[in-house]
Amino acid sequence: MATLLRTIIGLPGPSGFGSASTAEQVTAGVDASRHTVIITGGSSGLGAETARVMALRGAHVIIGARNMDAAKAVQKQIVQNTPAARVDVSQLELSSLNSVRSFADQFLSQDLPLNILINNAGVMYCPFQLSEDGIEMQFATNHLGHFLLTNLLLERMKSTAETTGIEGRIMNLSSIAHIGPYLEGIKFDKLNDKNAYNDIFAYGQSKLANILHSNELARRLKEEGANITANSIHPGLIRTNLMRHSVAFITMLRAFTSVLWKSIPQGAATSCYVALHPNMKGVTGKYFADCNEEKPSSLARDEALAKKLWDFSEKLVS
């Protein structure tokens, strides 16, 4: 109740920031000039704002996007406003494992360092559809593509952290919707079953998977002694293109939750905070909302489920 009240009023939490904080505010004074950042879905909404603020703080930003025209427009706008900005764009369709591999190969071939990976892209409440790999679209885009991308880039992140001494950080954008998946959490046996599909539960399933992935990745990295953290984020309720498949539902939801909705600069704050703020050093395997650590659902904290999802995902991408 205290967290909800704080969100409504916009009061800062223990971090000193809250729901009213913007991405620029939470990164004020941060020098990211030694950082290279990959942001998926950076062609609009939260991803575009996150890219803008990262570039503003001096980071070299690589935007992975499906819509290259939109990504190039974001790139142009950022450079116009910040002439010294370093922003590159590259084709990335998260629902296609071949596209993910091509994106990773192209990045790795440039021999660039990689300090921060922000798995931001996603789809929401879309009608039943299978990806080109035969995977339910929300799970394929929101979880599996990012799972593969992270694994493909992980060795580069490890070597960058070791060479530079700068902690690597990986963020998965989840959602409060992780509390509303299918009853069993992840439908391992009926993932691609059209008859068992529910768009809202499937979205919740994919957002639960984001947290489970972050947690298991954090556990593995910590066990290995790698200087990389992994955390998950709920950006808040924001009206973006992500909601294009659910206009009626979102309109109804806003009618009952209007005081909880954020602007895009506010929505990007938690991603930027977890990615750059010095207070986040060494913090891993946690879930953040409004720039403060929060407790996710019991399913999201299920270590056995996280390990099962990891093994399941590895088989799907192999």
Side-chain angles (χ1 to χ4, degrees), residues 46 144 147 172 202 265 290:
L46 296 180
L144 197 64
F147 176 85
N172 284 341
D290 299 335

Side-chain angles (χ1 to χ4, degrees), residues 55-77:
L56 181 66
R57 301 304 176 217
H60 178 193
V61 177
I62 295 100
I63 295 173
R66 178 181 56 197
N67 186 332
M68 287 296 287
D69 288 339
K72 289 176 181 177
V74 169
Q75 177 190 37
K76 182 179 179 180
Q77 186 66 44

Side-chain angles (χ1 to χ4, degrees), residues 2-210:
T3 300
L4 178 60
L5 183 61
R6 193 172 68 227
T7 299
I8 294 172
I9 299 174
L11 292 176
S15 69
F17 303 108
S19 62
S21 302
T22 66
E24 283 198 31
Q25 289 171 341
V26 303
T27 58
V30 174
D31 178 7
S33 59
R34 296 177 62 199
H35 292 72
T36 300
V37 184
I38 288 178
I39 303 170
T40 69
S43 60
S44 64
L46 296 180
E49 175 67 2
T50 301
R52 182 188 73 81
V53 173
M54 290 286 172
L56 181 66
R57 301 304 176 217
H60 178 193
V61 177
I62 295 100
I63 295 173
R66 178 181 56 197
N67 186 332
M68 287 296 287
D69 288 339
K72 289 176 181 177
V74 169
Q75 177 190 37
K76 182 179 179 180
Q77 186 66 44
I78 291 173
V79 173
Q80 282 180 344
N81 293 333
T82 309
R86 296 172 292 160
V87 183
D88 295 311
V89 298
S90 185
Q91 182 80 47
L92 175 61
E93 170 55 74
L94 266 300
S95 69
S96 165
L97 298 181
N98 281 336
S99 177
V100 172
R101 291 189 176 98
S102 295
F103 174 88
D105 286 345
Q106 181 179 348
F107 173 78
L108 294 173
S109 70
Q110 298 175 69
D111 201 29
L112 291 168
L114 182 57
N115 306 93
I116 298 170
L117 173 61
I118 303 178
N119 291 322
N120 166 85
V123 294
M124 181 182 188
Y125 300 160
C126 52
F128 180 80
Q129 182 182 353
L130 296 180
S131 71
E132 66 180 46
D133 303 291
I135 308 297
E136 186 276 307
M137 189 60 75
Q138 295 195 79
F139 190 87
T141 305
N142 297 351
H143 166 66
L144 197 64
H146 286 128
F147 176 85
L148 176 60
L149 180 64
T150 302
N151 282 358
L152 292 173
L153 298 176
L154 198 53
E155 289 305 315
R156 178 59 54 85
M157 292 197 71
K158 290 177 184 177
S159 63
T160 299
E162 185 175 350
T163 302
T164 64
I166 300 172
E167 178 182 83
R169 296 183 182 181
I170 299 170
M171 280 132 285
N172 284 341
L173 260 73
S174 179
S175 167
I176 189 65
H178 82 272
I179 67 173
Y182 295 105
L183 186 61
E184 63 270 48
I186 309 290
K187 274 191 174 297
F188 293 106
D189 297 327
K190 294 187 176 182
L191 180 68
N192 305 318
D193 186 341
K194 183 176 182 179
N195 293 326
Y197 182 77
N198 175 282
D199 58 350
I200 295 175
F201 292 160
Y203 181 68
Q205 171 182 249
S206 71
K207 295 293 100 179
L208 171 63
N210 292 148

